[in-house]
């Protein structure tokens, strides 16, 4: 592999991981002032800040973090479509967190033990993401094994987002991973949590014609454009402004 190819692959991987973290951070930030209880508002804010920190490190390694976050057009973002899905009701947010934090924890655990350029970041981030994963699992248990209403909503959310999960395991240039092991571990973990919660593992397709996911190619869902417009509004309206 030539030096220029390696650099291009590292940029591709940093952009994918950084955009995942940035977009999910913004989605979680939308809960501020709207969370069901005050303690949960703090928890979601802390998770959002952890993800924002990861995004800053990743994006700053390949360019100006502000330009990459606030001045790119929709088609230039490389996040998976799962993280851009609207918060929905609280169950949708938790289902999204369960799926993504389980994936991200397993991903960073692999990267932390490898020789790649993301080993240092992954070694630090895996500790943060372990908390994100535990938070999502505990809420899945509470909602799935709670009232009839919470169970129904949690099941509906898990089913609705299931078709977005296959995209997380698509190959990304620059990420040296055992994707088969990652996918197997993810499925086992999610199935165990859903089973303990009394929830049914969705049967819909995660890959193939009926699945969703082309975010890594720059194709995003309808709601992403509105989210991006809100996220970039201040920076675009007042270029160069400072506090």
């Amino acid at each position: 592999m030539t030096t220029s190819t390696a650099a291009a692959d590292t940029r591709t991987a940093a952009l994918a991981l950084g955009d995942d973290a940035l977009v999910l951070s913004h989605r979680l930030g939308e809960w501020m002032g709207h969370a069901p209880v005050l303690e949960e508002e703090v928890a979601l804010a802390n998770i959002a800040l952890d993800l924002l920190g990861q995004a800053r490190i990743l994006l700053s390694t390949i360019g100006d973090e502000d330009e990459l976050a606030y001045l790119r057009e929709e088609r230039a973002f490389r996040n998976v479509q799962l993280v851009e899905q609207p918060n929905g009701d609280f169950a949708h947010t938790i289902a999204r967190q369960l799926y993504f934090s389980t994936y991200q924890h397993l991903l960073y655990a692999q990267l932390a033990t490898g020789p790649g350029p993301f080993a240092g970041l992954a070694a630090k981030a895996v500790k943060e993401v372990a908390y994100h994963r535990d938070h999502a699992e505990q809420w899945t248990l509470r909602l799935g094994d709670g009232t009839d209403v919470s169970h129904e909503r949690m099941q509906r959310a898990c089913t609705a987002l299931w078709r977005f999960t296959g995209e997380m395991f698509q190959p990304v240039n620059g990420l040296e991973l055992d994707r088969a092991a990652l996918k197997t571990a993810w499925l086992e973990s999610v199935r165990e949590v859903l089973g303990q919660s009394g929830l049914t593992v969705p049967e819909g397709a995660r890959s193939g014609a009926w699945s969703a996911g082309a975010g890594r190619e720059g194709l995003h869902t309808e709601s992403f454009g509105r989210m991006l417009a809100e996220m970039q509004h201040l920076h675009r309206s007042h270029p160069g402004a400072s506090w």
Side-chain angles (χ1 to χ4, degrees), residues 112-220:
T113 58
F118 305 106
L121 163 73
K124 177 179 182 297
V126 73
K127 300 171 186 174
E128 299 172 344
V129 179
Y131 164 74
H132 305 173
R133 179 178 178 174
D134 181 66
H135 173 267
E137 290 179 352
Q138 293 304 315
W139 267 109
T140 300
L141 288 166
R142 290 173 66 180
L143 295 176
D145 196 27
T147 67
D148 290 344
V149 173
S150 71
H151 177 90
E152 179 187 350
R153 287 189 172 191
M154 195 64 211
Q155 184 65 66
R156 189 163 58 233
C158 289
T159 301
L161 295 175
W162 187 251
R163 69 193 187 99
F164 291 99
T165 58
E167 187 183 7
M168 295 186 292
F169 307 100
Q170 294 175 0
V172 175
N173 290 344
L175 289 183
E176 298 178 9
L177 295 168
D178 184 343
R179 290 194 303 279
L182 183 66
K183 181 179 177 180
T184 299
W186 183 88
L187 276 170
E188 288 178 352
S189 177
V190 168
R191 282 172 174 160
E192 181 179 355
V193 174
L194 294 183
Q196 290 176 354
S197 307
L199 297 164
T200 302
V201 177
E203 296 181 349
R206 298 177 55 252
S207 60
W210 298 102
S211 68
R216 298 291 194 220
E217 289 76 52
L219 299 177
H220 298 282

Side-chain angles (χ1 to χ4, degrees), residues 16-170:
L17 299 181
D19 285 351
D20 283 349
L22 175 68
V23 171
L24 185 56
S25 172
H26 186 83
R27 278 299 189 206
L28 291 175
E30 292 174 350
W31 273 107
M32 297 308 95
H34 304 283
V37 293
L38 190 58
E39 183 181 14
E40 189 55 25
E41 187 152 316
V42 174
L44 292 174
N46 283 332
I47 294 172
L49 286 173
D50 287 343
L51 292 167
L52 187 61
Q54 295 168 19
R56 292 190 64 187
I57 293 172
L58 287 159
L59 296 180
S60 63
T61 62
I62 57 174
D64 183 287
E65 61 185 33
D66 290 326
E67 288 188 9
L68 288 167
Y70 297 126
L71 296 179
R72 276 185 294 159
E73 301 294 334
E74 179 179 332
R75 291 291 295 270
F77 278 78
R78 292 294 182 266
N79 56 279
V80 293
Q81 291 182 354
L82 175 66
V83 298
E84 70 194 41
Q85 295 309 300
N87 289 327
D89 67 15
F90 190 62
H92 273 75
T93 292
I94 293 303
R96 189 182 62 201
Q97 284 299 108
L98 175 68
Y99 292 160
F100 186 76
S101 64
T102 302
Y103 154 77
Q104 198 183 36
H105 187 222
L106 295 168
L107 170 78
Y108 280 156
Q110 273 203 31
L111 292 176
T113 58
F118 305 106
L121 163 73
K124 177 179 182 297
V126 73
K127 300 171 186 174
E128 299 172 344
V129 179
Y131 164 74
H132 305 173
R133 179 178 178 174
D134 181 66
H135 173 267
E137 290 179 352
Q138 293 304 315
W139 267 109
T140 300
L141 288 166
R142 290 173 66 180
L143 295 176
D145 196 27
T147 67
D148 290 344
V149 173
S150 71
H151 177 90
E152 179 187 350
R153 287 189 172 191
M154 195 64 211
Q155 184 65 66
R156 189 163 58 233
C158 289
T159 301
L161 295 175
W162 187 251
R163 69 193 187 99
F164 291 99
T165 58
E167 187 183 7
M168 295 186 292
F169 307 100
Q170 294 175 0

